[in-house]
Amino acid sequence: MQYRIKQYIIWLRLLAKRLWKQPAYIGLITLIPILGCVFGLAEQESAGGTVVSVCVEEGVWSSRIVDGLQKQETDSILEFVFCDDAAAAEQSVVGGTADCGFVIPSNIEEVVLDEDWRKSITVYETSASSITGMAKERISGVVFRLYSEQRYREYMGNISEDIVDFAQEAYESHLIDGSTFGFRYVNYDQYSQSNYDTTVTSDMFVFPIKGVFAVIIFISGMCGMLEYDTDRREKRFVRMAPNILTYIVDVWMPTVFVSFAVLICLWISDGVRLMGGQFSMGVMLSVWDFGMWLSQIGRLIAYQCIIVLYCCILGIILRRQETVAVAIPILSLGSIVCAPVFIRLSTYVPLFAVLEKLFPVTYYLMM
């Protein structure tokens, strides 16, 4: 038994040494930090904002709506540009200077308080508009905060003035200090599972570094299928292990190396994001606590197991090395398109709710 274990250790060492001599694996591991830097730079560039034109017609709430939307810009990619009239808002959308436009009528206070607010705000958008829904949420958030304040004053109207002033002050402070509402974003990346469960995150578009890394790990596992075919034909490890064990280890071993590189890059990425571009070793070391490290490592190990099982099924279906080689770029592209790496297409086309489940990347992103 001891001799057998020693044999397996030697075998794994040989496989590890072989990987470091393979240009494909060196390329994949090198690609991980490069992609991390590229997406990080793209994320910073995206912070410039997406323009939304808004015409707030003169009325009781107009100045407060403008102030509220201007405050919204501090934690959003949306940049609100205010127009003098509806025609200017419409023209900015038609001319392409704004992604979408809104016209808020002067009597917005009346229609909202009378609960007759449907279709009261005019929206201009083109077929290429991408953030109209997000802009609607921001604008409605400002309007209905004013509505809630008005209703609150009416409710407190019959109570003494001192109590009303105290209650109003408490209302305004607790509405925005994070103590009243706690939001948990279940599809958010690492922060929703660490110390940030009750932090309201911005609608800043987060580039899918985790999804891209998951695709690279998947590719490394499929490349292991090609290595196994060569080992089987040349009968390299016949005396050490049966074919099925050789297949599993050949697929699993490259995912281990790539997963380690991904783990380090995810840690660095979270640290850079948390520090806001100012490096601090103390902050870097405290970005992930022990539980977070275990959680991330556990997810990667579970993902490796999914890839091994997936590749075992692929091996039964595809069989020939040439077929596997042709399938690798197709499955990689399918993972990027169908799995929710950049965008969840199943939100718009129900068919993709089925297609995304055909790729292991989806299951990693769901962890």
Side-chain angles (χ1 to χ4, degrees), residues 149-159 164:
E149 289 178 358
Q150 183 64 35
R151 287 300 190 200
Y152 188 77
R153 290 193 191 97
E154 293 175 0
Y155 174 76
M156 300 292 290
N158 298 323
I159 307 175
V164 171

Short mmCIF file of all heavy atoms in Angstrom, two decimals, residues 149-159 164:
data_model
loop_
_atom_site.label_atom_id
_atom_site.label_comp_id
_atom_site.label_asym_id
_atom_site.label_seq_id
_atom_site.Cartn_x
_atom_site.Cartn_y
_atom_site.Cartn_z
N GLU A 149 -42.19 61.20 1.86
CA GLU A 149 -42.03 62.31 2.81
C GLU A 149 -43.33 63.09 2.97
O GLU A 149 -43.71 63.46 4.08
CB GLU A 149 -40.91 63.24 2.33
CG GLU A 149 -39.53 62.65 2.45
CD GLU A 149 -38.47 63.59 1.92
OE1 GLU A 149 -38.84 64.68 1.43
OE2 GLU A 149 -37.28 63.24 2.00
N GLN A 150 -44.02 63.33 1.83
CA GLN A 150 -45.28 64.07 1.89
C GLN A 150 -46.33 63.31 2.67
O GLN A 150 -47.04 63.87 3.51
CB GLN A 150 -45.77 64.35 0.46
CG GLN A 150 -47.03 65.18 0.38
CD GLN A 150 -46.83 66.59 0.91
OE1 GLN A 150 -45.75 67.17 0.75
NE2 GLN A 150 -47.85 67.16 1.54
N ARG A 151 -46.43 62.02 2.41
CA ARG A 151 -47.40 61.20 3.13
C ARG A 151 -47.07 61.14 4.63
O ARG A 151 -47.96 61.11 5.47
CB ARG A 151 -47.42 59.79 2.54
CG ARG A 151 -48.08 59.68 1.18
CD ARG A 151 -49.52 60.12 1.22
NE ARG A 151 -50.23 59.81 0.00
CZ ARG A 151 -51.34 60.38 -0.39
NH1 ARG A 151 -51.89 61.34 0.37
NH2 ARG A 151 -51.94 60.03 -1.50
N TYR A 152 -45.78 61.12 4.92
CA TYR A 152 -45.35 61.07 6.31
C TYR A 152 -45.77 62.35 7.05
O TYR A 152 -46.25 62.31 8.18
CB TYR A 152 -43.84 60.88 6.36
CG TYR A 152 -43.28 60.63 7.74
CD1 TYR A 152 -43.40 59.38 8.34
CD2 TYR A 152 -42.62 61.64 8.43
CE1 TYR A 152 -42.88 59.15 9.60
CE2 TYR A 152 -42.11 61.42 9.69
CZ TYR A 152 -42.23 60.16 10.27
OH TYR A 152 -41.73 59.93 11.51
N ARG A 153 -45.59 63.50 6.39
CA ARG A 153 -45.99 64.77 7.00
C ARG A 153 -47.50 64.80 7.25
O ARG A 153 -47.97 65.29 8.28
CB ARG A 153 -45.59 65.93 6.09
CG ARG A 153 -44.09 66.18 6.01
CD ARG A 153 -43.80 67.52 5.36
NE ARG A 153 -42.39 67.62 5.04
CZ ARG A 153 -41.87 67.37 3.84
NH1 ARG A 153 -42.68 66.98 2.86
NH2 ARG A 153 -40.58 67.49 3.62
N GLU A 154 -48.25 64.30 6.27
CA GLU A 154 -49.70 64.28 6.42
C GLU A 154 -50.12 63.38 7.59
O GLU A 154 -51.04 63.72 8.35
CB GLU A 154 -50.36 63.78 5.13
CG GLU A 154 -50.19 64.74 3.95
CD GLU A 154 -50.74 64.17 2.66
OE1 GLU A 154 -51.25 63.02 2.70
OE2 GLU A 154 -50.64 64.85 1.63
N TYR A 155 -49.43 62.26 7.71
CA TYR A 155 -49.76 61.32 8.79
C TYR A 155 -49.47 61.93 10.16
O TYR A 155 -50.21 61.74 11.12
CB TYR A 155 -48.96 60.04 8.60
CG TYR A 155 -49.12 59.04 9.74
CD1 TYR A 155 -50.27 58.27 9.86
CD2 TYR A 155 -48.10 58.88 10.68
CE1 TYR A 155 -50.42 57.37 10.90
CE2 TYR A 155 -48.23 57.98 11.73
CZ TYR A 155 -49.39 57.22 11.83
OH TYR A 155 -49.53 56.33 12.86
N MET A 156 -48.36 62.70 10.24
CA MET A 156 -47.94 63.27 11.51
C MET A 156 -48.59 64.64 11.77
O MET A 156 -48.30 65.30 12.76
CB MET A 156 -46.42 63.44 11.53
CG MET A 156 -45.63 62.14 11.36
SD MET A 156 -45.80 61.05 12.77
CE MET A 156 -44.86 61.95 14.00
N GLY A 157 -49.49 65.08 10.87
CA GLY A 157 -50.02 66.43 10.93
C GLY A 157 -50.81 66.76 12.18
O GLY A 157 -50.85 67.92 12.62
N ASN A 158 -51.46 65.79 12.77
CA ASN A 158 -52.31 66.03 13.93
C ASN A 158 -51.58 65.89 15.26
O ASN A 158 -52.21 65.93 16.33
CB ASN A 158 -53.51 65.06 13.90
CG ASN A 158 -54.38 65.28 12.68
OD1 ASN A 158 -54.56 66.42 12.26
ND2 ASN A 158 -54.90 64.21 12.12
N ILE A 159 -50.27 65.71 15.23
CA ILE A 159 -49.49 65.55 16.45
C ILE A 159 -48.75 66.85 16.74
O ILE A 159 -48.57 67.69 15.85
CB ILE A 159 -48.50 64.36 16.29
CG1 ILE A 159 -49.25 63.10 15.86
CG2 ILE A 159 -47.76 64.08 17.58
CD1 ILE A 159 -48.37 61.92 15.55
N VAL A 164 -43.38 66.16 15.70
CA VAL A 164 -43.29 66.09 14.24
C VAL A 164 -41.87 66.41 13.77
O VAL A 164 -41.30 65.74 12.92
CB VAL A 164 -44.30 67.06 13.58
CG1 VAL A 164 -44.05 67.16 12.08
CG2 VAL A 164 -45.72 66.59 13.86
#
